Amino acid sequence: MRTSTAYLSSLDDGRRVIVNGVPVEHVASDPAFAPIARTIGDLFDLAADPHNGMQVTDETLARPVNRLFLPPRSAADLAAYRAAAQVWANHTHGWVGRSPDHVGAFVGAFSAHPEAFAEEHGLRENILAFHRRVVENDLFVSYAIIPPQVSRATTAHAWEGEFIQVGVKQEREDGIIVRGAQMLATGGAVADEILVSCIKPLQAEDADFAISFTVPVNAAGLTLYCRRPYAPDVTSEFDYPLSSRYDETDALLVFDDVFIPWENVFVYKDVAGLRKQFFDTAAHVLGNWQAQIRFATKLRFLAGIARKIAAVNGVDKFPGVIEKLGELASLVSVVDSGVLAAEHTAAPDAQGLWRPGSASLYGAMGLQSEIHPRVIEIVRDLAGGGVLQVPSSVHELQDTQTRHDMDRYVSSPGLSAVERVKLFKLAWDAIGSEFAGRHQQYELFYAGAPFVVKGYAFRNFDYDASTRTVEQFLASYDLSDMPSAELGEVTA
């Protein structure tokens, strides 16, 4: 199986990644991307170690492969999938939102439902071959499935200018030429390939943009414009322990007449096909179950920060603080319970793919835009001014002329200045740094706008059963069952 050495060496392949207006020469060693690349490399090493329980023997290859890239075919498979996803989530403490298992889950579900893809141009066979390529080569696939925010009131066909959203400029016998842009390829700069599609509902007039394909990050004509990376600006890992490891660098993809061979195309000028690939195949439910495993891990980490701060400050016995910690425990448990309930209510579909229970999954997801800000607010409240009292950098702890003041004024009972500063630096990177601000925005919108996610919860909840219960109860009594009353009689 793939290791970090092979993964890191593969990144220097001529890909065009732009930061501060300049192409990045060596992605794997550049300060903006080296930390997250090392983290992803660690994930491959964890999967390659058989002691971590992430491997399963592939019958076709007769060798171990990463079970996170295979569709679960039984209840046992689904439980093993969760355990494997937890290994990776634990390593990043939930701070890497688009680790390779996220899109890997989508691709695995695609492969379990080839009938959701059209037969023309071999699209059905293409998705099966792509899945095999991901499994056999341990590929890190990112995705970009949202159009640029040119106008949220209209769709691509109504926008001024030609090919703003990526679309088909030309059809050839051997493939298609695409032009335009798509967002938001989280981790795209350090991925192997990017799945490009559109989850936003399109109209019939948008057929040229109703496409789904995969593209190598180093494809000719493809440029990745990254938002400003945070890792290069951190003063040290001590001062910014999260920013220095887990910044994924979201990117806008720009396609300047990029050639996509037919074998890499999965949906072609098919508006209905875009929706089918995500929802008929269970890709959306499986991929978001992985995301909730990751999210629950992150919330537990934030809860740990809050609990430790309360103990260090000596306030963890105060009733008001216990109330806040209790609320925090409740919020984390809601997401944890949603993950486990989705597994408990899972069932096989017509193709034998075990789908996590959608009502439980989307029920928890529907509250994510409220849970995450509230968790951050509780951590902020418990941290108070402590995150502002920390020294500007680790140097004040290293310099003999300033260390005395740190030891005297910044320590806590039973906790040295170094350990206290370390804790509150971590807290600040989780709730107040630019990295933290990006994560706040990410958790609010990673699965779509809150009204979209709550729409998933609405459509997957069994309102029919609830309504029937109410109707049956209403039918159990009627006016004719009531004692008669004379006109004008007042009854109690």
Side-chain angles (χ1 to χ4, degrees), residues 264-288:
N264 288 345
V265 180
F266 315 128
V267 177
Y268 184 65
K269 293 187 177 183
D270 183 357
V271 172
L274 288 179
R275 304 295 292 172
K276 290 172 66 177
Q277 69 174 335
F278 291 119
F279 298 102
D280 288 9
T281 66
H284 196 265
V285 69
L286 186 61
N288 279 288

Side-chain angles (χ1 to χ4, degrees), residues 150-231:
V150 174
S151 170
R152 301 180 75 175
T154 58
T155 51
H157 77 277
W159 295 348
E160 293 184 10
E162 187 181 22
F163 291 111
I164 304 302
Q165 179 176 339
V166 65
V168 180
K169 182 196 172 194
Q170 179 186 351
E171 177 182 329
R172 295 183 358 190
E173 184 176 347
D174 55 347
I176 58 176
I177 303 294
V178 297
R179 177 184 292 184
Q182 202 77 337
M183 68 182 226
L184 189 62
T186 300
V190 294
D192 296 300
E193 299 191 25
I194 300 175
L195 175 67
V196 181
S197 190
C198 184
I199 199 169
K200 177 182 176 180
L202 298 180
Q203 301 177 27
E205 298 90 340
D206 296 310
D208 285 345
F209 309 97
I211 52 177
S212 181
F213 60 88
T214 185
V215 61
V217 182
N218 69 340
L222 174 61
T223 301
L224 279 68
Y225 289 96
C226 297
R227 61 151 170 81
R228 190 180 68 77
Y230 309 134

Side-chain angles (χ1 to χ4, degrees), residues 103 149 262 285 305 367 401 460:
V103 180
Q149 283 191 356
W262 280 121
V285 69
I305 293 175
L367 295 175
Q401 295 183 8
N460 286 275

Side-chain angles (χ1 to χ4, degrees), residues 238-310:
F238 189 96
D239 295 318
Y240 293 94
L242 303 176
S243 303
S244 61
R245 300 183 187 192
Y246 305 132
D247 182 27
E248 297 173 89
T249 61
D250 316 282
L252 172 73
L253 307 185
V254 173
F255 295 84
D256 185 9
D257 292 352
V258 177
F259 172 66
I260 309 295
W262 280 121
E263 56 262 32
N264 288 345
V265 180
F266 315 128
V267 177
Y268 184 65
K269 293 187 177 183
D270 183 357
V271 172
L274 288 179
R275 304 295 292 172
K276 290 172 66 177
Q277 69 174 335
F278 291 119
F279 298 102
D280 288 9
T281 66
H284 196 265
V285 69
L286 186 61
N288 279 288
W289 191 55
Q290 178 278 332
Q292 289 297 292
I293 295 169
R294 189 273 317 166
F295 183 54
T297 306
K298 180 183 179 182
L299 293 183
R300 289 194 295 270
F301 187 78
L302 288 165
I305 293 175
R307 182 67 181 87
K308 190 165 182 64
I309 285 175

